[in-house]
Amino acid sequence: MEAWRCMRRGYGRCVVGRGRYPMFSHHPKSLGRDWTTPWENLQRCCWNRHISSCMRWPGHYSRAPYPYFSSRHFSLNWRPPCLFESRTQFQYSNWRPDNLSQTSLIHLSSYIMNSEGDEPSSKRRKHQGMIKRNWEYICNHKKEKTKILGDENVDPQCEDSENKFDFSVMSYNILSQDLLEDNSHLYRHCRRPVLHWSFRFPNILKEIKHFDADVLCLQEVQEDHYGTEIRPSLESLGYHCEYKMRTGRKPDGCAICFKHSKFSLLSVNPVEFFRPDIPLLDRDNIGLVLLLQPKIPCATSPAICVANTHLLYNPRRGDIKLTQLAMLLAEISSVAHQKDGSFCPIVMCGDFNSVPGSPLYSFIKEGKLNYEGLAIGKVSGQEQSSRGQRILSIPIWPPNLGISQNCVYEVQQVPKVEKTDKDPTQTQLEKTEVLETAEKLSSNLQHHFSLSSVYSHFFPDTGIPEVTTCHSRSAITVDYIFYSAEKEDVARHPGAEVALGGGLKLLARLSLLTEQDLWTVNGLPNENNSSDHLPLLAKFRLEL
């Protein structure tokens, strides 16, 4: 709209959006290597592009008022076939056509016309190239070795033995095709062919086959694609698949798939976060919790609880996100609980729509959160400002949800009736009221698991953030693999290795990348990576 206002006033924007120059109705002007062209002719070339549908580059204003053209369209031998009425040849060194019509003009930025080297380094458009990710091996509480994919995937110091069970887990938001098309503004940087499902699914399946994980936790699995393509393909690779679709009219859900050769299924436990009787829980997100038994000959082992979820995206509804997380943790607590009162090993995967260091993330890792005075939009860390946001209520969810502040299902117990002159029914009601009052006054959330993150979220040498998702609007970390582990009480800094002991031991992880790394291959999705999320992959060891 800004560009339209400028043209109506007879002005155009300069290359970086600072200041204006008159759009001369006589001879066209040239600013260095920038150039002008008739708007009517340009419109014929990009009739289906809204004037604001361009990339946002770091260092430039957020929404450039001109259409976006890829630098791949302008090679050394390029000839403009449709932008100009005149077919007269001109020197390409200064990009200055001399025979333009005298109609109103629109200005195109020089960084679009120049070579890739002139584009911002963080978002250079490259349509070829493979992302290289390394295996980072973590044994004896420290990183021992790094190998590039294609080399051997087994660290000599992490070999199997009779009293150990090793397995790998992948968490991957594969990007539902319906959601992609409904949010096409996030993928303006992509060439249209790479966004077609017929192109994307073979790439996704190729990634899954290449990494060959024992357990797959997939998010944004579209129901029709799951039934016709995804499930049959995975079953042909030796996986057993369980799926839970989102409630309501949503087209996608979560799947957990595991190899027959490694596990047997003990129980399937879907979790629906939508509750028609609770106004707070009016969203259709879900979770899925499986209890798996490792197949180990001549040995006994505890079961492994695997959970998968995709929490609400809305950055301003931290109350819903925390409640959904509490519901998932309550189900995990019920499934993973053992007869001796302890919990079996837990692996919790998913797209949590929260950034590292946020209150929700800290609650998962530390097992406690005091949310008194916390702004609702600060829970996930996605909102930069808390102005105008209300504070989380105490308690966040109503008592009729049936989940305590310790994130476990509440057991309805009838208190013992003491000998008294009071009516027994009145005594019971009074005790219930006291419990509910104490619950309402508490602003402390807790859970009983000792969970660590597979990833440290920052590169130790530079402190640059790792990212798990990247599209036209942002590049951040929202995907995680959490697992049961006893954490040593040591000081940590960004990028520090996770110190482990007991529970599941982290053997290796597939390295993540920086935002700049991803834009060297044109971000996500691209020709080789067909989701806007990266797959997360970890190798664990269960001590028997």
Side-chain angles (χ1 to χ4, degrees), residues 259-276:
K259 286 189 175 180
H260 291 288
S261 60
K262 298 283 286 190
F263 298 96
S264 57
L265 180 63
L266 296 181
S267 67
V268 180
N269 309 274
V271 186
E272 294 183 356
F273 299 145
F274 175 80
R275 295 292 178 88

Side-chain angles (χ1 to χ4, degrees), residues 272-461:
E272 294 183 356
F273 299 145
F274 175 80
R275 295 292 178 88
D277 58 329
I278 301 178
L280 173 69
L281 297 173
D282 60 349
R283 306 306 166 93
D284 295 307
N285 305 85
I286 55 90
L288 184 61
V289 182
L290 267 56
L291 192 62
L292 304 179
Q293 181 67 51
K295 289 184 176 179
I296 305 175
C298 303
T300 58
S301 69
I304 297 174
C305 180
V306 179
N308 186 20
T309 192
H310 189 176
L311 299 186
L312 176 70
Y313 165 73
N314 191 336
R316 291 182 169 268
R317 293 309 304 269
D319 53 346
I320 299 179
K321 295 188 186 191
L322 276 175
T323 306
Q324 291 180 347
L325 176 62
M327 296 172 72
L328 180 67
L329 292 173
E331 186 65 27
I332 293 174
S333 178
S334 176
V335 173
H337 191 268
Q338 300 184 114
K339 294 180 179 180
D340 62 357
S342 63
F343 297 99
C344 69
I346 297 166
V347 178
M348 184 171 70
C349 303
D351 182 342
F352 290 82
N353 275 314
S354 301
V355 302
S358 65
L360 187 143
Y361 172 88
S362 299
F363 172 52
I364 294 174
K365 287 196 64 177
E366 297 174 9
K368 58 184 178 180
L369 173 67
N370 186 347
Y371 58 86
E372 183 177 5
L374 180 62
I376 193 172
K378 288 291 187 179
V379 169
S380 64
Q382 297 164 294
E383 285 286 300
Q384 299 301 317
S385 173
S386 60
R387 292 185 59 186
Q389 296 181 10
R390 63 182 177 87
I391 303 301
L392 287 171
S393 60
I394 302 175
I396 300 174
W397 56 82
N400 62 329
L401 179 60
I403 295 177
S404 72
Q405 296 286 85
N406 292 329
C407 298
V408 297
Y409 292 124
E410 291 180 319
V411 179
Q412 299 296 329
Q413 295 181 346
V414 179
K416 294 181 180 180
V417 180
E418 300 176 359
K419 293 183 179 181
T420 177
D421 295 335
K422 294 184 179 180
D423 179 31
T425 304
Q426 182 65 28
T427 303
Q428 181 177 338
L429 290 175
E430 289 178 359
K431 289 188 176 183
T432 303
E433 290 175 358
V434 171
L435 290 174
E436 289 182 353
T437 302
E439 185 81 4
K440 288 180 181 178
L441 294 176
S442 174
S443 60
N444 293 299
L445 293 181
Q446 291 182 331
H447 67 75
H448 302 295
F449 314 122
S450 178
L451 298 176
S452 292
S453 173
V454 163
Y455 292 91
S456 54
H457 314 305
F458 296 89
F459 288 90
D461 297 334

